[in-house]
Amino acid sequence: MMRVAFTQGLASHSVLRNGNKSVMLRMMSAAMPSQKPVNPEFSSGPCKKRPGYDVSKLDSRVLGRSHRSKIGKERLGYAIDKTKSLLGVPDDYLVGIVPASDTGAYEMAMWNMLGQRNIDVCHWESFGKGWFADAISHLKLRDTVEVNEHTADYGSLPDLSKTNPDNDICFTFNGTTSGVRVPDGADFISADRTGLTLCDATSACFAMNMPWEKLDVTTYSWQKVLGGEGGHGVLVLSPRAVERLETFTPENRPLPKIFRMVKKGKVDRAIFKGSTINTPSMLAVEDYIDALEWADSAGGVPALIKMSEDNLQVLEKFVEENDFIDFLAKDPSTRSSTSVCLTLDLTADQIKAFVALLDKENVALDIGGYRDAPPSIRIWCGSTVETADVEALTPWLKWAYEEVKK
């Protein structure tokens, strides 16, 4: 028997000759794309560093120095002032650097402020669900107030209009693990509300417009849209949130030191000027300052929003042209431009193989869906990811699908 192999177009063929019999076998394997993303980092946190990042260019004067030193306080204060300026945070709001990433910042707010009035917790993905669980299981708020749950499956939003403006409202601006965000402007929040809004905006800040007049407590971490390092959170407080801190003390609720924001009945404003509660990594602070200065030089938040939306548009076009892939988010108007979650016409095990294949080829790293989400992939499209890399990724998505499916 003689085997003759040849190629034609994108498919390879084999001809088997045995006497008068001839059989052609088509190898269902698309040609591997020739161009890879320059940077294969599409992780949803910690996220890709900014274009042109060079750790050796960070200001090292503060390394080895106390965060309480003059230069330490100056750099922390500068990071806070630059944050307020870039994000357009109102002058009468407070911005502070706090421990334990976005999680620490949000828990700080919950443990200090919730319990004065009834609460609406809105969640449609894992982190919002976690805030609800903490409210009822650890803070045990249902012992003293009503805690209402407004929820929806992954890919959808709950009916946010059912929230009560007289209640405190806890919600996630952008669902990092579901790819679903609140509508632009957050119109479900009343301008005449009497309750507070507590907003987890960790994968939204710097890539989406923040309606500050609707937000009383806002939290995020450096590691998301700006590609900073993990471990530190940012807490933004409106005057109404400050008033709550100074007029409400939860009964029988001990607070660990890293959660304490009030001294002798007044908010400790030193925290919001750079005197952090505990010791921060000054290297991480300098890394954050580098990201802030890059964002400013790139055109500020409007430019960062456009970068992220441009990345999303590349994937929207790809999804429109390919039947095997779709967005987890059902409504395009609430589709995240940062944490883009996608479903595939594959089994859960095949999706794992798909992710592993792209990782092996060094094409897309860390794109597996979140562990609590439906079987899916998650491609970070925040502002530090370059659109050319998303464009280079899309042919590989099709190639990997065909490799796994065959």
Side-chain angles (χ1 to χ4, degrees):
M1 181 171 65
M2 177 177 65
R3 179 183 298 270
V4 180
F6 61 94
T7 61
Q8 179 179 345
L10 293 181
S12 65
H13 295 70
S14 294
V15 176
L16 300 179
R17 299 193 184 278
N18 186 358
N20 294 325
K21 295 182 180 180
S22 179
V23 181
M24 179 176 286
L25 300 177
R26 179 181 178 89
M27 306 298 292
M28 300 300 293
S29 177
M32 181 181 289
S34 60
Q35 182 179 354
K36 295 183 179 182
V38 173
N39 193 309
E41 295 167 358
F42 296 97
S43 164
S44 293
C47 300
K48 177 187 173 292
K49 291 296 188 185
R50 67 168 179 84
Y53 177 81
D54 184 347
V55 68
S56 69
K57 299 294 177 62
L58 298 183
D59 189 336
S60 62
R61 293 173 300 156
V62 76
L63 302 186
R65 299 293 306 277
S66 170
H67 61 297
R68 309 290 186 198
S69 67
K70 180 181 179 182
I71 189 173
K73 288 182 179 179
E74 284 176 355
R75 297 303 280 171
L76 286 160
Y78 175 69
I80 289 171
D81 292 342
K82 194 72 174 175
T83 297
K84 291 191 73 171
S85 173
L86 273 173
L87 287 176
V89 177
D91 290 342
D92 56 352
Y93 280 46
L94 302 180
V95 175
I97 296 169
V98 298
S101 197
D102 175 70
T103 303
Y106 203 82
E107 292 283 1
M108 251 178 117
M110 290 180 68
W111 283 73
N112 275 278
M113 299 184 202
L114 295 182
Q116 187 199 59
R117 58 180 61 225
N118 295 337
I119 304 162
D120 289 322
V121 181
C122 308
H123 68 86
W124 51 95
E125 50 92 55
S126 60
F127 287 99
K129 185 177 181 180
W131 306 142
F132 174 70
D134 286 352
I136 61 172
S137 299
H138 296 280
L139 287 169
K140 300 187 182 301
L141 288 166
R142 280 183 168 163
D143 292 348
T144 54
V145 297
E146 291 181 7
V147 181
N148 305 305
E149 182 182 17
H150 306 275
T151 187
D153 292 335
Y154 277 80
S156 301
L157 278 178
D159 185 353
L160 300 175
S161 67
K162 291 184 177 180
T163 57
N164 187 335
D166 293 329
N167 293 353
D168 290 336
I169 301 173
C170 300
F171 72 101
T172 305
F173 200 95
N174 179 76
T176 312
T177 66
S178 70
V180 178
R181 53 161 293 174
V182 298
D184 198 36
D187 289 339
F188 68 96
I189 299 172
S190 171
D192 300 322
R193 66 191 179 280
T194 56
L196 298 180
T197 56
L198 282 71
C199 173
D200 170 0
T202 194
S203 56
C205 271
F206 294 99
M208 300 174 191
N209 286 311
M210 293 288 102
W212 294 112
E213 73 281 2
K214 303 287 185 72
L215 307 177
D216 295 307
V217 177
T218 307
T219 65
Y220 70 91
S221 62
W222 305 342
Q223 62 164 317
K224 296 292 186 183
V225 176
L226 292 183
E229 292 302 296
H232 300 78
V234 174
L235 179 67
V236 184
L237 302 179
S238 74
R240 299 178 70 251
V242 172
E243 181 185 19
R244 171 71 64 85
L245 286 168
E246 295 182 344
T247 58
F248 172 66
T249 302
E251 292 185 11
N252 301 318
R253 189 184 300 170
L255 294 176
K257 180 178 179 179
I258 60 171
F259 282 7
R260 296 175 200 159
M261 292 185 277
V262 177
K263 286 185 177 180
K264 298 180 179 179
K266 294 293 182 182
V267 167
D268 184 0
R269 291 182 180 253
I271 296 171
F272 302 92
K273 295 178 181 178
S275 183
T276 54
I277 295 172
N278 71 336
T279 307
S281 163
M282 295 308 296
L283 180 59
V285 171
E286 289 300 333
D287 185 90
Y288 178 53
I289 289 173
D290 174 83
L292 290 170
E293 291 178 340
W294 165 76
D296 196 10
S297 69
V301 169
L304 268 59
I305 291 173
K306 185 178 185 304
M307 292 173 191
S308 182
E309 291 181 345
D310 286 350
N311 291 338
L312 172 62
Q313 286 173 12
V314 172
L315 290 178
E316 286 179 328
K317 182 174 184 294
F318 181 74
V319 169
E320 186 177 350
E321 295 172 348
N322 292 274
D323 292 337
F324 74 89
I325 189 168
D326 202 357
F327 290 97
L328 186 58
K330 307 295 188 242
D331 182 351
S333 69
T334 57
R335 185 180 292 160
S336 172
S337 64
T338 56
S339 53
V340 182
C341 298
L342 299 155
T343 59
L344 304 173
D345 180 23
L346 296 172
T347 66
D349 286 342
Q350 287 175 322
I351 290 176
K352 290 179 181 178
F354 175 97
V355 170
L357 182 57
L358 291 174
D359 185 291
K360 178 184 176 183
E361 295 295 336
N362 201 38
V363 168
L365 307 179
D366 310 319
I367 65 166
Y370 193 72
R371 60 180 178 268
D372 294 334
S376 56
I377 61 172
R378 184 170 53 153
I379 300 172
W380 182 255
C381 286
S383 310
T384 58
V385 174
E386 297 188 78
T387 302
D389 283 337
V390 183
E391 291 171 339
L393 171 62
T394 55
W396 287 91
L397 298 178
K398 188 169 186 177
W399 172 81
Y401 169 78
E402 292 177 350
E403 286 294 302
V404 170
K405 190 72 172 178
K406 69 181 183 182

